[in-house]
Amino acid sequence: MKKSILTLVGCSIALLSFTASPIHAKDITSPSDTFSISKKEKSEINTDFYNWADQRAKMGNMAISKYYFDHGPEDNGNLWYASTPDGDILVRNASDTYSSKKYNLRKIGGFVFYTAKDGTTGKCDNIKKDTDDGAEYSSNQIDITKPVDKYLLANNGIVYECKLDGEAAEPDSGFKIKGEDNIGSDDWIVSQDKAAQDEYRQLITKYTGNNVSTAINYSNSATQSSDVDSTTPAQSDNNTDDGMDHTAQTGKVIGDVKTHIYHTADQHDYKINPKNEVVFDNEQQAINAGYRKALR
């Protein structure tokens, strides 16, 4: 299994208030905390989420593909999982050595966002072209100078996210093999994309009839890193006396030099450290400088 450079980019967002405490995967013991699903329902949820994410990707000038996970033939017999703040998610099990029954969390599906070299936005499965046996994503299809972002849908009703360096990103990036030394593997965080979280839960209810009650711990305290995204969703009180600039209040196109993401004034209000801020005259100028638009 190839090792990827750890480029976890989290958001130091304040913990949203919930009436229930966050439920961690290791504590899940009842069906109410996870949901059962048929193959048909799984396919329907993935199809609808893909269609929804297609529009979001276009807004961010990114492409999206279902080719979020693959591995080399030498890894066929292994148990694969993804590490999250809520526990390990079983992604694939072909091993007789390790029991999959110990994994309360299971993957429902996943997607990968990337910047296509040919400028394609939205659905685009060309990322798989020229990529063989779980090798690195083809530089013929992907702009490796831009970040790659993976989403993983889990059976606790939560969307997890893994942010990768485009140059080091591979189809198996973010995933680990049970029993191997996985130092350097990329961990997953609870996605800060609240719209994605809401959409996923609506689809779960629509197709399975389950109203998932698992609380979402947006703080990601278990995976915080010193190398975090300096742009964070602003607090509801819109306090501007905290030494931070607010993207929705500047009336300008604001870019973050650390993440190469830009925000427009009509988008969700974000706080940004002035030392990481770059101001553009318009969106095209930001795009020409190699920045991509924030997804919300």
Side-chain angles (χ1 to χ4, degrees), residues 226-277:
S226 59
D227 184 22
V228 297
D229 185 349
S230 57
T231 308
T232 59
Q235 299 300 307
S236 58
D237 60 6
N238 287 323
N239 176 24
T240 57
D241 297 325
D242 52 10
M244 304 286 275
D245 286 340
H246 287 239
T247 59
Q249 297 176 12
T250 62
K252 302 174 182 177
V253 177
I254 303 295
D256 187 319
V257 297
K258 293 186 68 176
T259 64
H260 274 69
I261 294 174
Y262 73 86
H263 306 263
T264 58
D266 60 342
Q267 287 187 291
H268 187 85
D269 187 30
Y270 281 81
K271 295 191 298 184
I272 182 171
N273 191 322
K275 71 179 183 180
N276 297 324
E277 177 183 316

Side-chain angles (χ1 to χ4, degrees), residues 9-53:
V9 182
C11 293
S12 55
I13 182 174
L15 178 63
L16 301 186
S17 60
F18 292 93
T19 56
S21 299
I23 298 174
H24 295 277
K26 63 181 177 11
D27 300 321
I28 292 177
T29 56
S30 69
S32 62
D33 296 333
T34 59
F35 60 90
S36 59
I37 186 171
S38 67
K39 289 184 179 180
K40 181 175 182 294
E41 292 166 341
K42 185 184 295 187
S43 175
E44 290 169 333
I45 288 174
N46 275 283
T47 296
D48 278 15
F49 193 92
Y50 193 30
N51 290 334
W52 174 84

Side-chain angles (χ1 to χ4, degrees), residues 141-284:
Q141 308 298 333
I142 181 176
D143 183 347
I144 61 174
T145 67
K146 305 292 178 61
V148 171
D149 199 2
K150 291 185 178 183
Y151 275 26
L152 191 64
L153 314 182
N155 68 335
N156 61 349
I158 296 177
V159 180
Y160 295 93
E161 188 172 355
C162 185
K163 294 181 180 292
L164 302 163
D165 182 325
E167 189 170 1
E170 302 173 0
D172 65 8
S173 292
F175 302 101
K176 302 180 180 182
I177 296 177
K178 183 69 174 178
E180 282 200 3
D181 179 2
N182 292 292
I183 295 174
S185 294
D186 301 278
D187 289 340
W188 297 71
I189 62 170
V190 173
S191 177
Q192 307 297 297
D193 188 345
K194 191 174 185 298
Q197 301 286 4
D198 291 343
E199 178 67 17
Y200 182 40
R201 295 201 167 195
Q202 289 174 19
L203 292 175
I204 292 168
T205 301
K206 175 181 178 181
Y207 288 110
T208 73
N210 288 284
N211 291 310
V212 181
S213 59
T214 310
I216 302 177
N217 185 352
Y218 284 100
S219 69
N220 280 304
S221 57
T223 56
Q224 285 301 302
S225 164
S226 59
D227 184 22
V228 297
D229 185 349
S230 57
T231 308
T232 59
Q235 299 300 307
S236 58
D237 60 6
N238 287 323
N239 176 24
T240 57
D241 297 325
D242 52 10
M244 304 286 275
D245 286 340
H246 287 239
T247 59
Q249 297 176 12
T250 62
K252 302 174 182 177
V253 177
I254 303 295
D256 187 319
V257 297
K258 293 186 68 176
T259 64
H260 274 69
I261 294 174
Y262 73 86
H263 306 263
T264 58
D266 60 342
Q267 287 187 291
H268 187 85
D269 187 30
Y270 281 81
K271 295 191 298 184
I272 182 171
N273 191 322
K275 71 179 183 180
N276 297 324
E277 177 183 316
V278 58
V279 180
F280 297 103
D281 293 333
N282 50 58
E283 288 190 64
Q284 189 58 53

